[in-house]
Amino acid sequence: MTDPTSKSLSQGIVPGSTFQFSFTKPEDLGATEYTLVTIEVDVSSSVDLFSDELLNCVKEAIRACKRSPRAENLLLRLVSFNTTIKEIHGFIPLSPINLDNYDPFTCTGMTALYDATYDSISASLAYAKTLTNMDFDVNAITFIITDGCENASCQSGPASIKGLVDKVKKSEELESMINVLIGINSGDASVFGMLSIFKDEAGLNQFVEVGDVSAGKLAKLAQFVSQSVSSQSQSLNSGGPSQLLKF
Amino acid sequence: MIKLDSFYTIGKTHQVCEDYVLHKEGPVPHIVLGDGCSSSPNTDVGVRIWSHIAHDMIKNTMTNGLQCFVPEGVVLWMSKVAKQLIPVIGLSSQNLDSTIVILCQDLNSSTVRLLMLGDGIIITKSKDKLPHIVQISYMNEMPYYLSYIMDESRNEAYIKRAKELEHKGNTKIIHTLSETSKVPYYDLTSIEYDINDYEYIIISSDGLDSFYNRNTGEKVPIEMTATLLDQFKSFNGEFLKRRIKRMLKEYEKQGIYHYDDLSLGIMYNECPREVICIKAEKTR
């Protein structure tokens, strides 16, 4: 996969935290407006059984985004998380992404769900500020895909995430932001119950229950992700976020 | 290296945008801009027709060995093509009442030629200097359009009217910060630049000087708009569109709007004279 430390990308740190992210330099961007898309994927040990299917789902979502009429106005960041957060690549345009270069997920460890959520929102906000200062119009959408509940975060919690979401709403850097929590493959109804509570406490926009992993469900998830991205991108300069789509 | 960009948008009081601009890299970098007369019908169509006739002319002449365009030749060519075209599509010369501005680099040369048929604004900026603004306008807001030249009766009517005005035909006004002069209405605005002397050359319709503060009723001086416009953050891709969209948003917050349609094109020179270019690492 594209080396996020390559010369073409710059490195950023979210102020007040140790969260890092990489991004395309604004001077290398040509459009007038961008939607920042972040996909954070749970690669804890429990995901191991369907990690290939999950990777294919992510690839399919990105493939569909590449076909979108708005493809040239999207910047995508892909992150995996378990006990720690690992950026697969930072915010980059879709055109140079070679989906065949994505390595299989290595699924081990626990689930730092809160840190992953905080990372996705804060990195988007920080990069949006950089872009806005360079006259770009920006909005964002994040997807946090998980099969289980939080059990490993050390830097954030629902309250701090909610504070960040509220900060985004007041900021001028991001025209709007949609945060979608996606629960997959939990056979335990209480897990989905806790994820739903997390969504409310953290102020996220939407919780999507995918249910048991199947080829059809993951294909539907890929379509949901790409259509949500397309919808949010088309809402740029409307003053607000797009309508939330139903899964 | 030359970079181009352009932008147009409708004025606050207009129903239809009668401004238009296009820019092309080949066969030579060029920009064509048009501002349709709002008191003539369907000039939104006419301005697009003129712009594409001009682009087609540049494309054909430059690929057929011509090094540059000749202003009088442009007038003849464009009016000839328009005369043949408009009856076929059910239009009249009135629908083509429009200012046309062409900015075009000569083949294999640093010379850039500007031709303005009508009224408009030219902004040039040299390295480390303030933007220099030239405004071309006409008394009684009667620009001398190319469409008059292609219609004898309308041309005669215009000439008669122009001679009745004060200054007897010297009705074209050229205004800069330091002086204002009046020249004959038929004087072609034709200027040659060496692009190496400039960071950029901007051509614009007179809409750039139509900003008013809705709250106070005060007109915004064009010098202020040109200064805000000059705050480019980068010169990649759609750099003019980014700057002007941000400028318009900042103006809107202050209750300032452009009441006329607005169109601009920019020809930017990455390496103006006396600047040592450090490839890829030079930042603005």
Side-chain angles (χ1 to χ4, degrees):
Chain A
M1 192 53 241
T2 304
D3 180 0
T5 61
S6 72
K7 283 183 185 174
S8 59
L9 296 183
S10 288
Q11 302 300 309
I13 296 179
V14 173
S17 78
T18 60
F19 294 118
Q20 297 183 26
F21 63 99
S22 56
F23 58 92
T24 304
K25 284 181 269 203
E27 305 86 77
D28 293 338
L29 297 173
T32 59
E33 58 190 28
Y34 287 97
T35 296
L36 305 182
V37 182
T38 306
I39 301 177
E40 301 240 359
V41 187
D42 183 344
V43 293
S44 58
S45 52
S46 53
V47 172
D48 192 45
L49 282 173
F50 52 91
S51 65
D52 288 344
E53 291 84 349
L54 188 56
L55 178 59
N56 287 338
C57 170
V58 169
K59 283 185 182 180
E60 190 47 46
I62 298 171
R63 189 176 286 119
C65 288
K66 277 168 160 273
R67 290 194 296 261
S68 163
R70 297 284 298 173
E72 291 190 5
N73 298 93
L74 303 177
L75 295 169
L76 174 73
R77 179 175 181 243
L78 184 60
V79 179
S80 64
F81 68 94
N82 42 30
T83 313
T84 57
I85 294 166
K86 183 187 166 194
E87 186 182 79
I88 298 171
H89 62 74
F91 291 104
I92 57 174
L94 297 190
S95 51
I97 294 175
N98 184 343
L99 297 173
D100 294 334
N101 286 353
Y102 283 138
D103 295 327
F105 291 140
T106 305
C107 299
T108 60
M110 302 207 284
T111 310
L113 176 61
Y114 297 162
D115 284 351
T117 306
Y118 194 96
D119 169 79
S120 68
I121 300 172
S122 60
S124 297
L125 180 60
Y127 188 33
K129 188 171 181 182
T130 301
L131 291 178
T132 302
N133 287 343
M134 298 288 282
D135 284 352
F136 293 92
D137 293 327
V138 190
N139 70 4
I141 186 165
T142 69
F143 302 92
I144 304 109
I145 305 173
T146 184
D147 78 327
C149 294
E150 155 66 39
N151 57 20
S153 293
C154 52
Q155 293 195 54
S156 58
S160 59
I161 296 168
K162 176 84 172 38
L164 189 57
V165 168
D166 290 341
K167 188 178 169 189
V168 165
K169 284 178 187 165
K170 290 175 197 160
S171 81
E172 292 193 343
E173 285 87 19
L174 267 173
E175 185 181 292
S176 68
M177 186 170 196
I178 293 177
N179 300 300
V180 183
L181 178 65
I182 298 170
I184 52 172
N185 204 52
S186 173
D188 185 346
S190 66
V191 171
F192 279 166
M194 289 168 76
L195 288 175
S196 183
I197 291 169
F198 166 55
K199 170 250 174 193
D200 290 335
E201 287 179 345
L204 307 181
N205 297 90
Q206 191 176 15
F207 170 51
V208 171
E209 257 186 63
V210 174
D212 292 338
V213 168
S214 67
K217 286 268 180 77
L218 290 181
K220 195 177 170 193
L221 177 60
Q223 191 181 44
F224 168 79
V225 167
S226 68
Q227 286 175 347
S228 298
V229 168
S230 192
S231 180
Q232 176 65 341
S233 184
Q234 282 165 16
S235 76
L236 255 172
N237 289 310
S238 70
S242 64
Q243 298 273 13
L244 297 174
L245 302 185
K246 282 187 182 170
F247 177 70
Chain B
M1 186 184 169
I2 300 297
K3 292 186 175 181
L4 305 177
D5 196 18
S6 59
F7 172 85
Y8 65 98
T9 190
I10 193 170
K12 193 143 179 75
T13 55
H14 287 208
Q15 300 283 336
V16 173
C17 184
E18 287 152 345
D19 273 28
Y20 182 71
V21 61
L22 59 85
H23 68 268
K24 304 282 182 190
E25 309 287 341
V28 289
H30 63 279
I31 304 166
V32 184
L33 179 151
D35 175 6
C37 175
S38 46
S39 53
S40 297
N42 296 321
T43 55
D44 55 321
V45 175
V47 80
R48 282 162 169 74
I49 289 173
W50 276 134
S51 299
H52 285 276
I53 289 175
H55 162 63
D56 194 58
M57 174 202 70
I58 292 166
K59 197 173 72 174
N60 287 324
T61 53
M62 296 298 187
T63 51
N64 284 327
L66 203 64
Q67 303 295 309
C68 66
F69 69 71
V70 175
E72 292 77 13
V74 168
V75 169
L76 282 172
W77 177 301
M78 289 181 62
S79 52
K80 181 181 166 189
V81 172
K83 260 184 173 171
Q84 290 171 343
L85 177 64
I86 55 171
V88 175
I89 53 176
L91 294 180
S92 70
S93 67
Q94 214 183 357
N95 306 129
L96 267 61
D97 289 347
S98 158
T99 282
I100 293 293
V101 188
I102 302 171
L103 188 69
C104 178
Q105 187 177 10
D106 286 357
L107 204 59
N108 303 322
S109 164
S110 61
T111 301
V112 171
R113 292 174 200 275
L114 182 148
L115 177 63
M116 184 179 287
L117 303 164
D119 58 349
I121 296 166
I122 307 158
I123 303 174
T124 54
K125 184 168 185 291
S126 303
K127 182 79 180 158
D128 297 326
K129 293 202 172 157
L130 290 172
H132 178 251
I133 304 164
V134 177
Q135 288 177 268
I136 313 287
S137 60
Y138 288 76
M139 291 174 69
N140 277 35
E141 295 187 10
M142 278 173 42
Y144 188 48
Y145 293 133
L146 182 54
S147 52
Y148 298 152
I149 299 173
M150 50 185 268
D151 185 323
E152 207 174 308
S153 60
R154 295 184 80 209
N155 200 35
E156 279 174 13
Y158 181 94
I159 293 167
K160 182 169 180 269
R161 179 76 185 108
K163 285 181 176 167
E164 284 166 358
L165 292 172
E166 190 186 352
H167 301 288
K168 305 276 184 244
N170 282 5
T171 57
K172 183 168 177 175
I173 304 163
I174 301 173
H175 173 74
T176 66
L177 203 57
S178 52
E179 64 172 345
T180 299
S181 53
K182 291 186 174 63
V183 299
Y185 64 89
Y186 51 77
D187 211 40
L188 281 179
T189 303
S190 173
I191 308 171
E192 274 182 34
Y193 303 95
D194 182 343
I195 192 66
N196 288 329
D197 291 335
Y198 300 96
E199 278 191 355
Y200 61 73
I201 301 169
I202 288 176
I203 53 174
S204 167
S205 66
D206 60 355
L208 195 64
D209 194 26
S210 72
F211 285 94
Y212 283 83
N213 189 313
R214 188 177 58 177
N215 302 324
T216 63
E218 284 174 5
K219 188 172 183 297
V220 177
I222 188 165
E223 290 78 15
M224 176 169 149
T225 300
T227 302
L228 280 176
L229 192 55
D230 185 43
Q231 292 171 18
F232 293 102
K233 305 298 190 297
S234 66
F235 291 92
N236 201 33
E238 299 181 319
F239 61 96
L240 176 67
K241 291 182 184 70
R242 288 195 294 271
R243 181 78 292 261
I244 195 148
K245 282 173 79 175
R246 181 56 55 84
M247 186 194 85
L248 292 177
K249 274 187 184 168
E250 284 166 3
Y251 265 175
E252 244 179 68
K253 285 181 193 171
Q254 301 169 58
I256 296 173
Y257 299 88
H258 58 97
Y259 285 80
D260 195 2
D261 299 333
L262 177 59
S263 53
L264 302 94
I266 185 169
M267 188 176 281
Y268 168 72
N269 178 16
E270 271 190 321
C271 293
R273 208 184 296 279
E274 294 167 15
V275 173
I276 298 169
C277 286
I278 301 167
K279 189 185 170 195
E281 287 162 344
K282 179 172 167 61
T283 54
R284 181 167 172 84

Short mmCIF file of all heavy atoms in Angstrom, two decimals, chain A residues 188-219:
data_model
loop_
_atom_site.label_atom_id
_atom_site.label_comp_id
_atom_site.label_asym_id
_atom_site.label_seq_id
_atom_site.Cartn_x
_atom_site.Cartn_y
_atom_site.Cartn_z
N ASP A 188 -24.47 -11.36 19.66
CA ASP A 188 -24.96 -10.98 20.98
C ASP A 188 -25.70 -9.65 20.88
O ASP A 188 -25.11 -8.64 20.56
CB ASP A 188 -23.75 -10.86 21.92
CG ASP A 188 -24.16 -10.60 23.36
OD1 ASP A 188 -25.33 -10.25 23.60
OD2 ASP A 188 -23.29 -10.73 24.23
N ALA A 189 -27.00 -9.68 21.17
CA ALA A 189 -27.82 -8.46 21.04
C ALA A 189 -27.33 -7.37 21.98
O ALA A 189 -27.49 -6.18 21.69
CB ALA A 189 -29.28 -8.78 21.32
N SER A 190 -26.72 -7.76 23.08
CA SER A 190 -26.27 -6.74 24.03
C SER A 190 -25.13 -5.91 23.46
O SER A 190 -24.97 -4.73 23.79
CB SER A 190 -25.83 -7.39 25.35
OG SER A 190 -24.68 -8.19 25.13
N VAL A 191 -24.34 -6.52 22.58
CA VAL A 191 -23.25 -5.77 21.95
C VAL A 191 -23.83 -4.64 21.12
O VAL A 191 -23.39 -3.49 21.20
CB VAL A 191 -22.36 -6.68 21.09
CG1 VAL A 191 -21.39 -5.85 20.26
CG2 VAL A 191 -21.61 -7.67 21.96
N PHE A 192 -24.82 -4.97 20.31
CA PHE A 192 -25.43 -3.93 19.50
C PHE A 192 -26.11 -2.88 20.38
O PHE A 192 -26.12 -1.69 20.05
CB PHE A 192 -26.44 -4.53 18.52
CG PHE A 192 -25.80 -5.11 17.29
CD1 PHE A 192 -26.52 -5.94 16.44
CD2 PHE A 192 -24.47 -4.85 16.96
CE1 PHE A 192 -25.93 -6.48 15.31
CE2 PHE A 192 -23.88 -5.40 15.84
CZ PHE A 192 -24.62 -6.22 15.00
N GLY A 193 -26.66 -3.34 21.53
CA GLY A 193 -27.27 -2.39 22.46
C GLY A 193 -26.24 -1.41 22.98
O GLY A 193 -26.49 -0.19 23.04
N MET A 194 -25.05 -1.93 23.32
CA MET A 194 -24.01 -1.05 23.86
C MET A 194 -23.46 -0.12 22.79
O MET A 194 -23.14 1.04 23.06
CB MET A 194 -22.89 -1.90 24.48
CG MET A 194 -23.35 -2.57 25.78
SD MET A 194 -22.22 -3.82 26.37
CE MET A 194 -20.94 -2.80 27.05
N LEU A 195 -23.37 -0.63 21.57
CA LEU A 195 -22.89 0.24 20.48
C LEU A 195 -23.89 1.36 20.22
O LEU A 195 -23.51 2.50 19.93
CB LEU A 195 -22.67 -0.58 19.20
CG LEU A 195 -21.46 -1.52 19.21
CD1 LEU A 195 -21.43 -2.36 17.93
CD2 LEU A 195 -20.16 -0.75 19.37
N SER A 196 -25.17 1.04 20.33
CA SER A 196 -26.20 2.06 20.13
C SER A 196 -26.10 3.14 21.21
O SER A 196 -26.24 4.34 20.93
CB SER A 196 -27.57 1.39 20.13
OG SER A 196 -28.57 2.32 19.88
N ILE A 197 -25.83 2.70 22.44
CA ILE A 197 -25.66 3.67 23.53
C ILE A 197 -24.43 4.54 23.28
O ILE A 197 -24.46 5.76 23.46
CB ILE A 197 -25.55 2.95 24.89
CG1 ILE A 197 -26.89 2.31 25.26
CG2 ILE A 197 -25.09 3.90 25.99
CD1 ILE A 197 -26.84 1.36 26.43
N PHE A 198 -23.35 3.91 22.82
CA PHE A 198 -22.12 4.66 22.51
C PHE A 198 -22.41 5.71 21.44
O PHE A 198 -21.97 6.85 21.55
CB PHE A 198 -21.01 3.70 22.06
CG PHE A 198 -19.83 4.39 21.41
CD1 PHE A 198 -19.15 5.40 22.08
CD2 PHE A 198 -19.40 4.02 20.15
CE1 PHE A 198 -18.07 6.05 21.47
CE2 PHE A 198 -18.32 4.65 19.55
CZ PHE A 198 -17.66 5.68 20.21
N LYS A 199 -23.15 5.32 20.43
CA LYS A 199 -23.48 6.26 19.35
C LYS A 199 -24.17 7.50 19.93
O LYS A 199 -23.84 8.64 19.56
CB LYS A 199 -24.36 5.55 18.31
CG LYS A 199 -24.97 6.48 17.25
CD LYS A 199 -26.46 6.62 17.46
CE LYS A 199 -27.08 7.64 16.53
NZ LYS A 199 -28.44 7.99 16.94
N ASP A 200 -25.10 7.30 20.85
CA ASP A 200 -25.84 8.44 21.43
C ASP A 200 -24.95 9.26 22.35
O ASP A 200 -24.95 10.50 22.29
CB ASP A 200 -27.06 7.94 22.22
CG ASP A 200 -28.14 7.38 21.31
OD1 ASP A 200 -28.17 7.78 20.12
OD2 ASP A 200 -28.95 6.54 21.76
N GLU A 201 -24.16 8.57 23.17
CA GLU A 201 -23.32 9.30 24.14
C GLU A 201 -22.23 10.10 23.43
O GLU A 201 -21.83 11.16 23.90
CB GLU A 201 -22.69 8.32 25.13
CG GLU A 201 -23.68 7.76 26.14
CD GLU A 201 -23.04 6.78 27.10
OE1 GLU A 201 -21.90 6.30 26.84
OE2 GLU A 201 -23.67 6.49 28.13
N ALA A 202 -21.75 9.57 22.34
CA ALA A 202 -20.66 10.25 21.62
C ALA A 202 -21.18 11.26 20.60
O ALA A 202 -20.41 11.98 19.99
CB ALA A 202 -19.78 9.21 20.91
N GLY A 203 -22.49 11.29 20.43
CA GLY A 203 -23.06 12.26 19.49
C GLY A 203 -22.85 11.91 18.04
O GLY A 203 -22.82 12.80 17.18
N LEU A 204 -22.68 10.62 17.76
CA LEU A 204 -22.51 10.21 16.36
C LEU A 204 -23.85 10.29 15.64
O LEU A 204 -24.91 10.31 16.26
CB LEU A 204 -21.94 8.78 16.28
CG LEU A 204 -20.66 8.53 17.09
CD1 LEU A 204 -20.20 7.09 16.91
CD2 LEU A 204 -19.56 9.50 16.68
N ASN A 205 -23.80 10.36 14.32
CA ASN A 205 -25.03 10.59 13.55
C ASN A 205 -25.88 9.34 13.37
O ASN A 205 -27.10 9.42 13.32
CB ASN A 205 -24.68 11.14 12.17
CG ASN A 205 -23.99 12.47 12.26
OD1 ASN A 205 -22.76 12.52 12.34
ND2 ASN A 205 -24.74 13.56 12.27
N GLN A 206 -25.19 8.20 13.21
CA GLN A 206 -25.95 7.03 12.79
C GLN A 206 -25.29 5.76 13.29
O GLN A 206 -24.05 5.68 13.36
CB GLN A 206 -26.01 7.01 11.24
CG GLN A 206 -26.95 6.02 10.64
CD GLN A 206 -27.02 6.14 9.11
OE1 GLN A 206 -26.18 6.78 8.50
NE2 GLN A 206 -28.02 5.52 8.50
N PHE A 207 -26.08 4.80 13.70
CA PHE A 207 -25.57 3.47 14.02
C PHE A 207 -26.26 2.50 13.07
O PHE A 207 -27.48 2.46 12.99
CB PHE A 207 -25.86 3.11 15.47
CG PHE A 207 -25.57 1.67 15.80
CD1 PHE A 207 -24.35 1.09 15.47
CD2 PHE A 207 -26.53 0.88 16.41
CE1 PHE A 207 -24.08 -0.24 15.76
CE2 PHE A 207 -26.27 -0.46 16.70
CZ PHE A 207 -25.04 -1.01 16.38
N VAL A 208 -25.44 1.74 12.35
CA VAL A 208 -25.97 0.78 11.37
C VAL A 208 -25.67 -0.63 11.87
O VAL A 208 -24.52 -0.97 12.11
CB VAL A 208 -25.30 1.02 9.99
CG1 VAL A 208 -25.66 -0.11 9.02
CG2 VAL A 208 -25.72 2.36 9.43
N GLU A 209 -26.72 -1.42 12.01
CA GLU A 209 -26.56 -2.82 12.44
C GLU A 209 -26.53 -3.69 11.20
O GLU A 209 -27.55 -3.89 10.56
CB GLU A 209 -27.78 -3.23 13.27
CG GLU A 209 -27.58 -3.27 14.75
CD GLU A 209 -28.82 -3.83 15.45
OE1 GLU A 209 -29.19 -5.00 15.21
OE2 GLU A 209 -29.44 -3.06 16.20
N VAL A 210 -25.37 -4.19 10.86
CA VAL A 210 -25.29 -5.05 9.67
C VAL A 210 -25.74 -6.46 10.00
O VAL A 210 -26.32 -7.15 9.18
CB VAL A 210 -23.85 -5.05 9.11
CG1 VAL A 210 -23.70 -6.05 7.96
CG2 VAL A 210 -23.47 -3.65 8.65
N GLY A 211 -25.45 -6.87 11.24
CA GLY A 211 -25.83 -8.22 11.63
C GLY A 211 -24.76 -9.22 11.24
O GLY A 211 -23.59 -8.88 11.08
N ASP A 212 -25.17 -10.47 11.05
CA ASP A 212 -24.21 -11.54 10.75
C ASP A 212 -23.56 -11.29 9.40
O ASP A 212 -24.19 -10.83 8.45
CB ASP A 212 -24.91 -12.90 10.71
CG ASP A 212 -25.40 -13.30 12.10
OD1 ASP A 212 -24.84 -12.77 13.09
OD2 ASP A 212 -26.33 -14.13 12.20
N VAL A 213 -22.27 -11.62 9.36
CA VAL A 213 -21.52 -11.42 8.12
C VAL A 213 -21.96 -12.43 7.08
O VAL A 213 -21.98 -13.64 7.33
CB VAL A 213 -20.00 -11.58 8.39
CG1 VAL A 213 -19.23 -11.68 7.08
CG2 VAL A 213 -19.50 -10.39 9.18
N SER A 214 -22.32 -11.93 5.93
CA SER A 214 -22.61 -12.79 4.77
C SER A 214 -22.18 -12.00 3.54
O SER A 214 -22.01 -10.78 3.61
CB SER A 214 -24.10 -13.12 4.69
OG SER A 214 -24.84 -11.95 4.42
N ALA A 215 -22.04 -12.71 2.44
CA ALA A 215 -21.60 -12.03 1.20
C ALA A 215 -22.59 -10.93 0.84
O ALA A 215 -22.21 -9.81 0.48
CB ALA A 215 -21.47 -13.04 0.07
N GLY A 216 -23.87 -11.26 0.98
CA GLY A 216 -24.90 -10.28 0.61
C GLY A 216 -24.88 -9.07 1.51
O GLY A 216 -24.98 -7.92 1.05
N LYS A 217 -24.70 -9.30 2.82
CA LYS A 217 -24.71 -8.18 3.78
C LYS A 217 -23.52 -7.27 3.55
O LYS A 217 -23.64 -6.04 3.62
CB LYS A 217 -24.66 -8.73 5.22
CG LYS A 217 -25.96 -9.36 5.72
CD LYS A 217 -26.80 -8.35 6.44
CE LYS A 217 -28.11 -8.95 6.95
NZ LYS A 217 -27.91 -9.74 8.17
N LEU A 218 -22.36 -7.87 3.29
CA LEU A 218 -21.16 -7.04 3.09
C LEU A 218 -21.22 -6.28 1.77
O LEU A 218 -20.75 -5.15 1.68
CB LEU A 218 -19.89 -7.90 3.18
CG LEU A 218 -19.57 -8.41 4.58
CD1 LEU A 218 -18.28 -9.24 4.57
CD2 LEU A 218 -19.44 -7.28 5.59
N ALA A 219 -21.82 -6.90 0.77
CA ALA A 219 -22.00 -6.19 -0.51
C ALA A 219 -22.93 -5.01 -0.30
O ALA A 219 -22.71 -3.90 -0.81
CB ALA A 219 -22.56 -7.14 -1.58
#
